[in-house]
């Protein structure tokens, strides 16, 4: 009978330490995980393409060993979404606040399988028998990568990036949520009491300098008015002391977008 040593400083959370042998009872098995997965996505035909989704209990065991309650878990081959399911289960069980990032390159899988499974287990769903299964809580935001990168290798914005493309990026960087505006004005919208503006790509048409990409007093006077605090993304700030008086927080692009050259 092989023995293993448990060192106190290797115990985490509920005290699970790595073992060399994980039984089906301890970490689940493929038959069960296939059933679990197909029960959740019983009405999604492509769910049957996944012959061997991993047991959520297996990933939970890994989370118990390797994460804290506030860890961020990355799965860059998300597939059936088992990792997020396990994260939500583990959070529900121990009151944790773990977050996850899933990456899936097949858009059909990402939308219809990965995101749909995670949405259902988080919010609750009706199974194939018509029974209601309670949600585990939690949620996620669905993001799509652009076809081309916005930034050149030197960290500058690529010349062919449109106002609408950069607006989406700026909005997400500033608010943490997806952009739902129309991107036809330098005022992108308001979020939690502040207005977010973007000066880029001649959105103010021919106003010099640099087609209105620099925040000057003249440019500012042309912007749609907002009386509260304002965050303005632009190439440079030539407003001087007036910027603070007007309640402006200036963010220089591209540097404020945390792009590392
Ligand atoms: C074997 S599945 C993942 C299985 C998953 N961990 C589970 O338990 O079901 C691998 C997934 O990764 C995706 N994939 C493969 N290469 C990728 C890449 N370079 N970036 C993102 N996703 C990728 C595939 O489309 C496939 O859905």
């Amino acid at each position: 009978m092989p023995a293993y040593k448990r060192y106190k400083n290797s115990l985490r959370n509920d005290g699970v330490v790595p073992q060399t042998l994980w039984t089906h009872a301890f970490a689940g098995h493929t038959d069960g995980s296939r059933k679990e997965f197909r029960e959740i996505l019983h009405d999604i035909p492509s769910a049957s393409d996944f012959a061997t989704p991993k047991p959520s209990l297996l990933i939970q065991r890994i989370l118990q060993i390797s994460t804290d309650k506030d860890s961020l878990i990355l799965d860059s081959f998300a597939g059936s979404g088992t990792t997020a399911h396990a994260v939500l289960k583990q959070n529900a069980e121990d009151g944790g606040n773990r977050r996850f990032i899933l990456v899936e390159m097949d858009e059909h899988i990402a939308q219809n399988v990965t995101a749909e499974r995670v949405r259902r287990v988080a919010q609750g769903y009706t199974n194939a028998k018509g029974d209601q299964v309670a949600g585990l809580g939690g949620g996620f935001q669905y993001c799509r990568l652009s076809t081309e990168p916005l930034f050149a290798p030197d960290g500058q914005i690529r010349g062919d990036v449109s106002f609408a493309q950069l607006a989406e990026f700026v909005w997400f960087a500033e608010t943490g949520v997806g952009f739902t505006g129309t991107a036809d004005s330098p005022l992108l919208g308001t979020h939690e009491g502040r207005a977010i503006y973007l000066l880029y790509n001649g959105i103010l048409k021919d106003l010099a300098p640099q087609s209105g990409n620099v925040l000057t007093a003249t440019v500012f006077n042309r912007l749609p008015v907002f009386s509260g605090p304002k965050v303005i993304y632009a190439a440079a700030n030539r407003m001087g002391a007036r910027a603070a008086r007007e309640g402006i927080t200036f963010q220089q692009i591209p540097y404020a977008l945390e792009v590392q050259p």
Side-chain angles (χ1 to χ4, degrees):
M1 178 72 179
Y4 63 94
K5 289 181 180 171
R6 298 155 63 97
Y7 293 100
K8 195 158 182 251
N9 66 3
S10 72
L11 296 179
R12 303 178 74 124
N13 299 335
D14 64 351
V16 176
V17 291
Q19 299 175 28
T20 52
L21 184 65
W22 283 8
T23 62
H24 285 166
F26 181 76
H29 53 88
T30 307
D31 279 352
S33 61
R34 205 166 29 225
K35 249 182 237 154
E36 174 189 48
F37 175 63
R38 291 186 184 171
E39 185 193 276
I40 300 166
L41 296 181
H42 57 89
D43 53 341
I44 308 284
S46 46
S48 51
D49 296 345
F50 284 78
T52 54
K54 281 167 210 62
S56 56
L57 184 56
L58 170 67
I59 308 297
Q60 252 188 293
R61 293 302 187 196
I62 294 171
L63 296 177
Q64 288 163 2
I65 291 166
S66 59
T67 69
D68 297 313
K69 285 186 176 177
D70 60 355
S71 291
L72 175 62
I73 292 107
L74 169 69
D75 183 351
S76 50
F77 299 87
S80 67
T82 309
T83 300
H85 188 173
V87 169
L88 296 179
K89 265 170 84 186
Q90 189 58 31
N91 281 346
E93 284 174 23
D94 68 6
N97 191 31
R98 295 170 190 81
R99 292 166 301 147
F100 55 80
I101 297 174
L102 303 188
V103 184
E104 171 51 56
M105 73 174 190
D106 182 317
E107 190 156 1
H108 172 78
I109 293 174
Q111 278 179 16
N112 301 304
V113 177
T114 322
E116 192 54 32
R117 177 189 189 172
V118 185
R119 192 173 296 117
R120 290 185 187 191
V121 296
Q123 297 175 358
Y125 61 97
T126 307
N127 68 16
K129 292 185 202 133
D131 300 328
Q132 187 60 29
V133 179
L136 295 165
F140 64 92
Q141 184 156 41
Y142 189 98
C143 302
R144 239 184 229 98
L145 286 179
S146 56
T147 322
E148 297 292 336
L150 291 185
F151 300 98
D154 65 359
Q156 297 301 317
I157 296 166
R158 283 163 40 124
D160 57 353
V161 170
S162 69
F163 180 82
Q165 287 172 321
L166 193 63
E168 263 189 57
F169 191 89
V170 162
W171 184 266
F172 185 73
E174 181 63 33
T175 66
V177 298
F179 183 57
T180 52
T182 48
D184 54 2
S185 158
L187 174 57
L188 302 184
T190 60
H191 183 79
E192 294 177 348
R194 66 192 193 281
I196 298 156
Y197 294 82
L198 170 63
L199 301 178
Y200 173 71
N201 217 8
I203 187 69
L204 282 172
K205 306 295 176 237
D206 58 356
L207 209 66
Q210 293 178 31
S211 304
N213 292 349
V214 171
L215 179 62
T216 62
T218 316
V219 166
F220 179 69
N221 292 339
R222 291 264 314 263
L223 296 180
V225 174
F226 181 76
S227 56
K230 293 166 269 293
V231 184
I232 302 183
Y233 285 79
N237 177 12
R238 295 203 198 129
M239 286 274 290
R242 187 176 162 204
R245 286 201 303 277
E246 297 283 359
I248 295 170
T249 301
F250 173 71
Q251 297 281 30
Q252 188 177 13
I253 52 176
Y255 311 107
L257 299 171
E258 294 183 343
V259 181
Q260 300 302 321

